[in-house]
Amino acid sequence: MEGTVDGFRYGAVTPVAAYLMACLGGALGLRCIVRTLLSNQSWKAGWLALGAASIGCGIWTMHFIAMIGFQVVETRIRYNAGLTVLSLAVAILVVGIGVFIVGYRGASTLNLSFAGVITGLGVAAMHYLGMAALHLNGTIRYDAIAVALSVGIAIVAATAALWAAVTIRGFMTSLGASLIMGVAVTGMHYTGMSAVSVHVHSRTGGSWAGDSPTSLLLPMLLGPVIFLLLAGVVVMFDPLLVLGDGDWNRSSASASTESNTPQPDSLFGNQEDRVVHARAPQDPQWAAPHGPHR
């Protein structure tokens, strides 16, 4: 028989929490990528890796927070821990590929398109790999049109996010871009979930391997959430991201000017020069020795 699928078991709590985590991961990832653009002296690979991990953790956390609210009324749900962890690794890896492509090769149309397709397909793969981790007393089926639409949304969202990462530098504009990115990523998830239908097996007394959503997902979510909080601390206390591009350049220029200005007690040579200039007007011995003789 057909199972009753409900993606909003706890009402608006899980969708809102999932959206906020997607926004947090996107905001941190965008700021980390912006950090590599504001200064050529920054550790580029490190900031890009931190940005990719932030976006990947945000997307994965969004997915499984939303999945806490997913249920099939007629059967229990269990999760395969190995596939769940693998989906997190896939999310970080594919986002990292896209981020490093645009970070090192530039934001040309070709690079953005290529990186966006790879990242979008990877995000979709993370979603459906996470769905493959579900174990229940039934068979999960997907509507092909809704699946294709969710993959298309993932590709568009990934391309837009990468474009924003290398184009938008201001804090408020990055924040706005992360809010839009959160809408796109969460929309991709629920579009994919709308493709799900479950045919429940008639046998109800069977058992199957796996962990319950609360016993597996809640503890596993703690790691990515703590990582995002630590990444937020790193971003908040980085002086370049706090000051912004213009203020950083002005402060750097000011520091450079001050370093080139002679200090009163810096070197003996400067003191001697001042003595020379002070004595030259009134001391006869400083007159030109080769002047004409009368």
Side-chain angles (χ1 to χ4, degrees):
M1 65 176 179
E2 290 299 315
T4 305
V5 177
D6 181 12
F8 304 94
R9 182 179 183 179
Y10 301 104
V13 174
T14 49
V16 171
Y19 169 72
L20 292 177
M21 293 309 300
C23 292
L24 175 61
L28 292 175
L30 293 180
R31 296 308 291 168
C32 289
I33 298 171
V34 165
R35 179 62 170 80
T36 67
L37 303 176
L38 296 181
S39 174
N40 293 327
Q41 299 177 351
S42 63
W43 183 33
K44 192 169 188 176
W47 282 106
L48 291 176
L50 181 60
S54 298
I55 296 175
C57 285
I59 294 172
W60 184 88
T61 305
M62 174 278 302
H63 171 82
F64 281 101
I65 287 178
M67 290 304 296
I68 291 176
F70 175 79
Q71 69 170 342
V72 180
V73 177
E74 291 81 6
T75 178
R76 295 175 298 168
I77 294 177
R78 295 289 185 266
Y79 283 87
N80 181 286
L83 288 177
T84 304
V85 174
L86 180 61
S87 66
L88 173 60
V90 168
I92 296 175
L93 177 63
V94 296
V95 171
I97 292 174
V99 165
F100 272 79
I101 287 175
V102 298
Y104 279 97
R105 299 183 63 87
S108 65
T109 303
L110 180 60
N111 289 336
L112 277 176
S113 301
F114 180 63
V117 169
I118 290 179
T119 305
L121 290 177
V123 170
M126 179 277 301
H127 173 87
Y128 290 103
L129 188 59
M131 292 298 297
L134 267 71
H135 290 174
L136 46 78
N137 187 31
T139 303
I140 298 177
R141 298 171 178 171
Y142 295 95
D143 178 73
I145 296 177
V147 170
L149 181 59
S150 69
V151 173
I153 293 175
I155 292 175
V156 172
T159 305
L162 293 173
W163 173 85
V166 296
T167 305
I168 297 174
R169 300 193 180 190
F171 175 77
M172 295 306 297
T173 50
S174 293
L175 179 61
S178 66
L179 296 177
I180 297 173
M181 179 181 172
V183 171
V185 172
T186 309
M188 177 275 299
H189 171 82
Y190 283 103
T191 301
M193 294 307 296
S194 70
V196 174
S197 62
V198 177
H199 178 76
V200 179
H201 297 161
S202 58
R203 181 170 55 88
T204 59
S207 61
W208 53 93
D211 299 301
S212 66
T214 53
S215 65
L216 175 68
L217 296 184
L218 289 179
M220 288 188 67
L221 286 169
L222 288 177
V225 169
I226 292 174
F227 172 82
L228 289 174
L229 293 177
L230 293 177
V233 171
V234 172
V235 170
M236 287 175 58
F237 287 94
D238 181 75
L240 181 51
L241 289 176
V242 172
L243 288 175
D245 191 15
D247 292 338
W248 175 267
N249 289 335
R250 284 193 294 271
S251 62
S252 299
S254 175
S256 176
T257 303
E258 291 176 359
S259 64
N260 293 330
T261 302
Q263 301 299 319
D265 299 323
S266 58
L267 294 173
F268 288 111
N270 293 337
Q271 295 177 353
E272 292 172 359
D273 291 341
R274 287 195 298 274
V275 171
V276 168
H277 291 298
R279 295 179 59 188
Q282 67 272 13
D283 197 335
Q285 69 174 333
W286 294 96
H290 300 292
H293 295 281
R294 294 183 181 178

